[in-house]
Amino acid sequence: MYIKEKKYIIVITVLVVIVLVTIWYFRVGYLLRKPEMPNANIEIQTQMVDGGTINLRYADYTENEIKVGYEVKGFSLKENNISCKLYNDGNLISTSGSTGGGLIELDEKHYYFVGIENIDENVLPDSLNLTVEIIVIPNDSGQKSIPASFNVSVDKERGA
């Protein structure tokens, strides 16, 4: 009996360790993974501006919204705000001027932003000559804002 009890204790101990490691991974380890930047769906456009880099990586246009994704390197969000405005053929189509869709912090001074503009009220053509204006706005009012503009053509995607 003594050997059989020993085997049960070993099996139970191994199962407890496996369960604890699994719980740790999903509670803590999963959160420790480094976030990844989403894949680009357009040819990446890059601008070097005042010690930093801004890359337009994503543009999507559907019945209800325009979504852009852009990478910002070299600017701290503690010292700067980031704004995004969208234009079609020079006409402003965004109202908020904010990123609105989310932020992925990739590293120190390295971010990926998603800008979303709902277009329920706007009547826009099936194809846009989109200008994406990304503005780095220093918190110090004595410094000038840093704009970067990108042009991309996007076609409206139809839902299935």
Side-chain angles (χ1 to χ4, degrees), residues 68 70 99-105 112-116:
V68 294
Y70 51 96
T99 54
L103 162 72
I104 299 172
E105 188 169 350
Y112 182 81
F113 292 92
V114 177
I116 295 177

Side-chain angles (χ1 to χ4, degrees), residues 75-145:
F75 298 102
S76 166
L77 292 186
K78 293 177 184 171
E79 300 167 3
N80 301 281
N81 291 314
I82 308 293
S83 174
C84 177
K85 293 183 181 180
L86 304 175
Y87 299 84
N88 178 40
D89 287 328
N91 299 313
L92 182 66
I93 54 177
S94 62
T95 55
S96 63
S98 69
T99 54
L103 162 72
I104 299 172
E105 188 169 350
L106 300 165
D107 208 349
E108 185 178 341
K109 295 186 177 184
H110 187 193
Y111 309 94
Y112 182 81
F113 292 92
V114 177
I116 295 177
E117 185 62 34
N118 293 324
I119 54 173
D120 296 334
E121 299 170 15
N122 296 336
V123 178
L124 295 172
D126 287 344
S127 185
L128 297 179
N129 238 345
L130 192 64
T131 299
V132 180
E133 183 180 56
I134 300 164
I135 306 166
V136 178
I137 306 163
N139 292 337
D140 179 1
S141 61
Q143 294 182 327
K144 286 183 159 184
S145 295

Side-chain angles (χ1 to χ4, degrees), residues 19-91:
V19 168
L20 289 176
V21 168
T22 303
I23 290 171
W24 178 86
Y25 173 77
F26 285 109
R27 290 284 186 152
V28 179
Y30 180 76
L31 298 173
L32 295 176
R33 286 191 353 198
K34 190 170 181 159
E36 294 179 9
M37 189 169 7
N39 292 330
N41 76 336
I42 60 171
E43 185 175 327
I44 298 172
Q45 298 179 37
T46 301
Q47 285 192 21
M48 305 284 284
V49 288
D50 199 31
T53 305
I54 300 174
N55 299 309
L56 182 66
R57 301 177 53 86
Y58 186 90
D60 187 38
Y61 174 33
T62 65
E63 295 281 336
N64 301 321
E65 71 184 12
I66 299 170
K67 186 187 294 187
V68 294
Y70 51 96
E71 174 187 19
V72 177
K73 275 184 176 179
F75 298 102
S76 166
L77 292 186
K78 293 177 184 171
E79 300 167 3
N80 301 281
N81 291 314
I82 308 293
S83 174
C84 177
K85 293 183 181 180
L86 304 175
Y87 299 84
N88 178 40
D89 287 328
N91 299 313

